[in-house]
Amino acid sequence: MVKHTITQGQIVEEVYLNQSNLDITFTQQEGSTLRLFVVDIQGGQYANHIVVEQAATDCTTEIYHLAYLTDNDKATTHTNVRHLVGGGTSNQLIKFILGGKAKGEFLGELYIAPDAQKTEAHQTNRNLLLSSTAEVRTRPQLEIYADDVKATHGASTGQMDESALFYMQQRCLDENTARRLLLGAFMKDVIEPISDQNKREELLETIDRIIQ
Amino acid sequence: MNLLEIKDLHASIAGKEILRGVNLSVEAGTVHAIMGPNGAGKSTLSAVLTGNPLYEVTAGEIYLRGKNLLTMPPEQRAREGVFLSFQYPVEIPGVSMVNFMRTALNEKRQYQGLQPLSSTEFLRLMRDKRKLVGLADKLQNRSVNEGFSGGEKKKNEIFQMAMLEPCLSILDETDSGLDIDALRIVAEGVNQLRTADNASIVITHYQRLLDYIVPDYVHVLADGQIVKTGGKELALELEDKGYEWLSTQ
C-alpha cells in the first residue's frame, strides 16, 4: 500500500491511468484539496483500493473513477472516504461500462466521525451495460455519526438510451457511430474535470481510440 | 414520379394496430398538413416513415423518389432526405451540437459522394443557418438539446433541418409548447426552406400553425386512415366543427 500526505493548503491532482490493483491511502491536512482520477480503460482483472482520510478541517476531496470492462474482465473498485474532522467536502463520481460477460463491483464506503459536523459528502455511481450478460454490483456503505451533515448517494445502472440512438440515426448517423458518440459522452464526464489540459486531452484522445 | 408515395400502409406497436391502410401521395413543392384527434395515428405515421424500430409495418409500401424506404435503416432514410422534426427532441448529454451536426452533415455528404466540409466552411454554414431561426450562438457548444427551453428545442430542430436540406421534412407537432413569437420564427424558417424540389408534411392538432405554414392540402387522419382530404380551408372547418362529424360519417 502507498501512503501520501497532503499538507496544509496544498492542492493535489493525481491521474492514474490503467494502474490495475491501485492500493493507495491519502491523508489530508487542513484546507487541502485532493483531486483524484482513476481511469481504467484497458480491462483485465483487478481490484482498486482507495482510502482518503480528511484528518483536519476544510478539506476538499474529489474522486473520479472510470472502469471500462469487456469480454471476461472482472474488476472491483473500493473507495473509502473518511471524514474524521468536520467542515470538509467530498464528491465521488464512479462510472462502470460493462460489455461481454464482464463483472464489475463498486464498494463505496463513506465514514463521517461523531464530531465531523458541517461535512458535505456526495457519492454518485452510474453504470452502463452494453450487453445482457454483463453484471455490475454497487454497494454504497454510509456510516454517519454526526448529525449536522449533508450526505447523498445515488446509484443507477442502465443501457444505452434507445431514443437518443434513434434521434441520432434520424440525423444520418449510422447506429455504430451513434453508439460510439454516446459511449464517449458517458466516459468523458469522468475525464473532463481534469484541470491539466495536456493530460485531459491525451486521455480524451485515448478514449476516442479505444471506442473506435 | 411523386416525391413520396404511401400505399395501403398498416403499422402496429406492441401488437396493436395503429395505421390501418394509409394512402398518401406527396408531390415536390407542396406542403401537406395532417390533422386529426389524439390517438389517430399521426405520430405513428412519422415514426414509420423514419424507421423507428418500435413500430412494425405489417403491410403496405412507402416510396421516396421511387426508392423503397421500408427496406432502409433509419440513417439511410435520413441520408436519402427524410427529416423528422421531433415532437419531443431528445437530450443527448455529453455530445456537443457542433460535433453532432458536423458528424451528421458529413455522413450525409459522404452518402451523396461529396467531400466533407472544411472546419471553416462548416462553421460558416452553422452561423448562416442559425440566423434563419434565431438560435443563440452559445447553444452550439452545449450538449444536444440539454437544458434547452421548449422553444429552443423546436428552433434547434428547424436549424438542423436547414443544415441537412432534406427533400421531405416531417414536422411532428412542431407548434406544441411554442408561444406565438417562437411559432412565427419557426414557421418563417420552414417557409424559407421551401423549394420546388422539396416537400413538407406538417402534423398538427390545431389550425394555428397553418396560419403561418400554409398547406396546399389538408388530410384528416382518424382511426388509422385518411378519412378526408381538402385544401387549406378544411383546416378552418375542422377548427370550427371539431373532428366528430368526420368519424361519424
Side-chain angles (χ1 to χ4, degrees), chain A residues 166-167 169-173, chain B residues 75 79 82 84 104 157 160:
Chain A
F166 178 69
Y167 186 81
Q169 285 178 275
Q170 215 307 297
R171 299 297 184 257
C172 302
L173 277 65
Chain B
E75 63 271 24
R79 292 167 189 172
V82 179
L84 172 62
E157 294 293 285
Q160 294 177 57

Side-chain angles (χ1 to χ4, degrees), chain A residues 19-200:
Chain A
Q19 295 203 359
S20 306
N21 297 312
L22 191 67
D23 189 1
I24 198 159
T25 297
F26 292 90
T27 301
Q28 289 188 246
Q29 302 296 354
E30 189 178 338
S32 66
T33 297
L34 169 65
R35 311 187 75 229
L36 182 64
F37 296 83
V38 180
V39 180
D40 291 305
I41 44 184
Q42 68 180 11
Q45 312 247 333
Y46 58 88
N48 292 316
H49 193 71
I50 300 155
V51 181
V52 180
E53 268 184 5
Q54 293 194 356
T57 192
D58 291 331
C59 293
T60 302
T61 307
E62 294 173 34
I63 300 176
Y64 297 89
H65 176 51
L66 175 66
Y68 183 37
L69 305 167
T70 56
D71 304 321
N72 289 303
D73 291 347
K74 195 173 175 186
T76 300
T77 292
H78 175 192
T79 64
N80 186 359
V81 175
R82 303 177 62 77
H83 291 269
L84 304 182
V85 177
T89 62
S90 67
N91 270 297
Q92 300 184 60
L93 177 63
I94 311 291
K95 288 191 165 189
F96 279 71
I97 297 165
L98 305 102
K101 291 179 178 173
K103 286 186 169 62
E105 179 173 298
F106 169 59
L107 169 59
E109 281 188 275
L110 177 70
Y111 173 78
I112 302 179
D115 293 324
Q117 305 295 358
K118 307 285 182 193
T119 294
E120 196 173 329
H122 304 286
Q123 183 192 89
T124 306
N125 173 217
R126 302 251 175 275
N127 305 311
L128 178 62
L129 296 175
L130 303 178
S131 74
S132 56
T133 46
E135 281 176 38
V136 65
R137 279 166 190 269
T138 175
R139 292 197 288 148
Q141 291 187 358
L142 282 65
E143 282 185 74
I144 300 169
Y145 298 104
D147 50 18
D148 186 13
V149 300
K150 259 191 221 168
T152 61
H153 76 94
S156 66
T157 297
Q159 290 164 333
M160 221 169 252
D161 181 351
E162 295 292 330
S163 61
L165 278 178
F166 178 69
Y167 186 81
M168 295 168 102
Q169 285 178 275
Q170 215 307 297
R171 299 297 184 257
C172 302
L173 277 65
D174 64 62
E175 194 181 333
N176 280 336
T177 305
R179 281 185 187 279
R180 245 187 359 249
L181 274 181
L182 289 180
L183 189 58
F186 186 83
M187 295 167 106
K188 282 166 190 175
D189 252 8
V190 179
I191 311 301
E192 251 143 24
I194 296 176
S195 58
D196 181 327
Q197 193 186 342
N198 289 338
K199 274 186 193 165
R200 183 176 64 237

Side-chain angles (χ1 to χ4, degrees), chain B residues 42-73:
Chain B
K42 302 191 297 292
S43 285
T44 299
L45 182 60
S46 67
V48 169
L49 281 168
T50 50
N52 189 320
L54 295 174
Y55 294 83
E56 190 191 356
V57 173
T58 50
E61 294 169 322
I62 307 175
Y63 291 96
L64 182 78
R65 292 173 165 161
K67 290 183 185 172
N68 183 357
L69 271 194
L70 290 175
T71 57
M72 298 180 193

